[in-house]
Amino acid sequence: MADSLLVFTAPSAGVRLIVASVPLLARDAARRHGLAAGSSAALGQALVGTLLLVAAEEGEAARVDLQIDCEGPLRGLLVDADASGAVRGMARVNEIGEGELAALLGNGTLSVLRGGRGQAGEAHSAIVPFARGDLAEGLSDFLERDRELSGRVALQGANGVLVAPLSLSDRDAAYAIGQALRGRGLARLLEEAGDARALGQRIAEEHGLGELQVQSEVRPRFSCKCSRERVVAALVTLGAPELLDMADKDGGAEATCDFCAESYVVSKEELVALATQGERV
């Protein structure tokens, strides 16, 4: 079953419902990084949470960068996503085994950088704390501080929901629905819903939201901006002496992207050629 991120509106209830279900994406991320169970579970939640935040933004250029720093053994995670559903992420420690996220993450902070709204190039950042590994509460607090029409986030595995009001008068109702989905509320509905669309319908039925209208839908995917060209460009900045030394001592260069684990190899001959080109500039 395909991963999906849907934005619904329920006009009669005054609610905007953003629903993400990305088990395939979470497995892909875990495979790329060779993650143990605990590291995989934490990154899966961070991927879902970041996709929910970027879907709450306005415009095709929307982008969200999420940095998680924590006191637990996982130490932290980095994730970024854009409005097209392209997302990438990494855990600072890959080898953490199975366990409750409350213990694996512990207390920490979420640093959120978002762009794409307002003037071109404008970015907004915020830092909010979270406790006992509760990323959903941290993301909800960010929304509360960041905008007048805030929302509440619920996360369960590689699934998540963001409930936001359409107007200030609907705020309390949206907040109550979001809180009801926390923990077992969302887990129970997931037992009856196989994908994001079905989950949205079940939430609407359970909370009397009336008819849902699909505002947008994207297919989330793991997508990295790294490339061999960027690796070569970075090597050029080292300068000719360093490149020639690397060619002589190492017989080439290899770089691995932290976000997607893709490796790029630059041969000895290429390093010499790059050094020679640099000397001619």
Side-chain angles (χ1 to χ4, degrees):
M1 190 169 298
D3 291 348
S4 189
L5 172 65
L6 287 119
V7 180
F8 301 97
T9 57
S12 63
V15 168
R16 189 180 187 210
L17 196 63
I18 304 174
V19 185
S21 180
V22 294
L24 300 181
L25 168 62
R27 285 199 290 272
D28 185 19
R31 176 191 59 79
R32 288 172 181 269
H33 294 293
L35 301 182
S39 298
S40 175
L43 182 56
Q45 279 210 357
L47 291 167
V48 173
T50 306
L51 285 165
L52 292 175
L53 290 187
V54 79
E57 295 294 314
E58 299 173 1
E60 296 180 357
R63 176 184 175 82
V64 169
D65 295 69
L66 178 66
Q67 177 175 320
I68 299 172
D69 297 294
C70 59
E71 299 172 354
L74 276 166
R75 292 173 50 198
L77 307 106
L78 296 171
V79 180
D80 60 61
D82 65 30
S84 75
V87 62
R88 62 179 185 169
M90 57 173 284
R92 288 206 174 99
V93 181
N94 293 345
E95 301 83 12
I96 302 299
E98 191 169 357
E100 293 292 331
L101 289 185
L104 300 182
L105 287 169
N107 300 331
T109 59
L110 302 176
S111 301
V112 183
L113 177 66
R114 60 181 182 84
R117 296 177 65 183
Q119 298 178 357
E122 183 181 3
H124 305 262
S125 61
I127 298 176
V128 295
F130 65 88
R132 299 177 298 279
D134 195 341
L135 298 184
E137 186 64 25
L139 295 172
S140 297
D141 287 345
F142 162 72
L143 291 168
E144 187 76 23
R145 299 182 188 196
D146 186 64
R147 62 198 67 187
E148 192 173 32
L149 293 178
S150 63
R152 304 299 294 175
V153 173
L155 300 173
Q156 184 68 38
N159 305 277
V161 178
L162 192 162
V163 187
L166 294 178
S167 67
L168 286 176
S169 61
D170 301 312
R171 192 172 179 180
D172 289 345
Y175 185 96
I177 295 169
Q179 285 297 108
L181 290 172
R182 298 288 301 279
R184 185 58 189 163
L186 180 56
R188 177 175 52 78
L189 292 179
L190 283 167
E191 294 172 358
E192 308 166 9
D195 57 21
R197 188 177 295 271
L199 178 58
Q201 293 295 338
R202 284 293 296 116
I203 293 171
E205 294 167 5
E206 176 130 326
H207 295 278
L209 301 184
E211 182 180 356
L212 290 181
Q213 298 177 2
V214 178
Q215 186 176 356
S216 65
E217 180 176 8
V218 299
R219 298 292 183 187
R221 65 203 183 279
F222 199 104
S223 178
C224 192
K225 300 172 181 62
C226 70
S227 67
R228 195 173 191 279
E229 289 73 19
R230 290 192 174 192
V231 170
V232 170
L235 286 171
V236 169
T237 65
L238 296 177
E242 182 69 21
L243 291 172
L244 292 172
D245 185 65
M246 192 181 300
D248 181 52
K249 292 182 178 179
D250 302 324
E254 183 175 359
T256 301
C257 177
D258 289 334
F259 274 102
C260 70
E262 183 73 28
S263 291
Y264 299 94
V265 176
V266 180
S267 70
K268 176 180 179 178
E269 291 74 19
E270 287 177 289
L271 290 177
V272 172
L274 290 172
T276 302
Q277 291 171 11
E279 290 176 336
R280 290 174 181 170
V281 174

